[in-house]
Amino acid sequence: MNENINKTVEFRDLGRMDYQEAWDYQEKIFAEIVSLKIQNRNLPPAQQALTPNYLLFVEHPHVYTLGKSGKPENLLLDEKGLEAHQASYYKINRGGDITYHGPGQLVGYPILDLDNFFTDIHKYLRFLEEAVIRTLAEYDIEAGRIDGLTGVWLDHIVQKNPRKICAMGVKSSRWVTMHGFAFNLNADLNYFGHIIPCGIDDKAVTSLHLELGKAVDENLVKAQMKKHLAELFEMNLIE
């Protein structure tokens, strides 16, 4: 537990970045925060350094990622198929199964020391989902959760045609988080046809532009998401 609390979060928009490059970037920041926490444990409170927090937004070229609990057979493309679709594939260290990232999708990587906020991974995931739900409400779209499934869903109550609009997958060590959420804004959903998304084969995937019937201003959505995340976590978000 941190003796000194830091609720300041530095926001960085990485633009479009290769998945491996972004992963390495996350890992570097993550490792630095964990290392600082370990150093602080051996110091009196007055000498402990504040642990920093970051919120990264990024867009990836076409890529499929498989989490620790995922099944490789949920990727329906072989090596030639990946090459034909100009997509890459990575096995990674987050929770969850397989998912897709690509152009038109807002990917958010909060790298937070939860000792600065609250030490509850369940609450952390619910807050990420809630930020997306509140953002969708600004477009008069009702969204929510489905019991037993992570992420944000449309038609989550009656479930005649439930469809996921935002996927989640996180890692936490010593209460420091990495990975995060993938929010479909102007995404090409054809790429989801080459996987069993998150291992769920009986529910659809959607994108905000399809629900609205028009292209989405992605910069506006980014601003809305930043606002809601800052409110929910009571963070001081700086750029």
Side-chain angles (χ1 to χ4, degrees):
M1 179 68 183
N2 291 359
E3 294 287 345
N4 303 307
I5 301 299
N6 177 29
K7 286 184 173 286
T8 296
V9 178
E10 182 177 334
F11 173 74
R12 296 178 180 176
D13 191 332
L14 305 181
R16 184 173 293 189
M17 181 181 284
D18 175 76
Y19 187 85
Q20 183 68 59
E21 185 180 354
W23 187 5
D24 291 345
Y25 187 70
Q26 277 192 87
E27 288 274 16
K28 180 176 182 293
I29 295 173
F30 177 86
E32 288 171 353
I33 298 174
V34 169
S35 177
L36 182 56
K37 291 192 74 170
I38 292 171
Q39 292 174 38
N40 279 343
R41 288 173 60 183
N42 299 316
L43 297 172
Q47 296 178 27
Q48 291 180 8
L50 293 175
T51 53
N53 310 283
Y54 299 88
L55 174 62
L56 311 179
F57 280 179
V58 65
E59 181 182 78
H60 294 304
H62 302 297
V63 60
Y64 296 104
T65 69
L66 183 72
K68 290 186 296 183
S69 58
K71 297 178 180 179
E73 58 266 31
N74 286 334
L75 174 63
L76 307 179
L77 294 174
D78 58 14
E79 199 168 316
K80 287 186 177 179
L82 287 168
E83 187 176 337
H85 289 86
Q86 297 181 311
S88 51
Y89 171 60
Y90 295 98
K91 294 180 180 179
I92 61 174
N93 60 357
R94 60 160 169 79
D97 205 291
I98 196 162
T99 194
Y100 159 77
H101 299 310
Q105 187 183 70
L106 171 58
V107 177
Y109 295 135
I111 309 178
L112 308 179
D113 178 4
L114 291 183
D115 270 324
N116 288 321
F117 302 92
F118 48 78
T119 50
D120 185 333
I121 290 296
H122 178 80
K123 181 177 179 180
Y124 171 69
L125 284 165
R126 300 296 82 77
F127 272 18
L128 295 185
E129 292 167 348
E130 185 63 27
V132 176
I133 290 167
R134 293 185 182 187
T135 296
L136 289 168
E138 298 197 47
Y139 294 88
D140 296 321
I141 293 177
E142 183 181 358
R145 304 169 183 86
I146 294 178
D147 286 347
L149 301 174
T150 58
V152 178
W153 299 79
L154 306 189
D155 189 19
H156 61 293
I157 299 173
V158 179
Q159 296 187 33
K160 287 186 177 179
N161 178 29
R163 50 210 185 274
K164 179 181 278 190
I165 197 165
C166 182
M168 303 277 177
V170 304
K171 173 190 173 183
S172 172
S173 177
R174 297 183 185 271
W175 295 114
V176 181
T177 66
M178 63 178 289
H179 300 298
F181 63 85
F183 187 2
N184 298 329
L185 305 182
N186 293 307
D188 181 352
L189 299 188
N190 289 320
Y191 277 82
F192 286 96
H194 305 301
I195 60 173
I196 301 175
C198 302
I200 302 166
D201 60 5
D202 63 344
K203 292 179 175 62
V205 177
T206 191
S207 180
L208 184 54
H209 78 291
L210 294 177
E211 300 296 329
L212 296 176
K214 61 181 181 181
V216 176
D217 182 339
E218 295 180 22
N219 286 325
L220 176 58
V221 177
K222 288 179 183 179
Q224 292 163 330
M225 282 293 296
K226 286 164 59 181
K227 177 186 71 174
H228 293 305
L229 287 167
E231 289 172 351
L232 286 160
F233 285 88
E234 298 180 350
M235 60 176 64
N236 174 29
L237 197 58
I238 62 170
E239 299 188 28

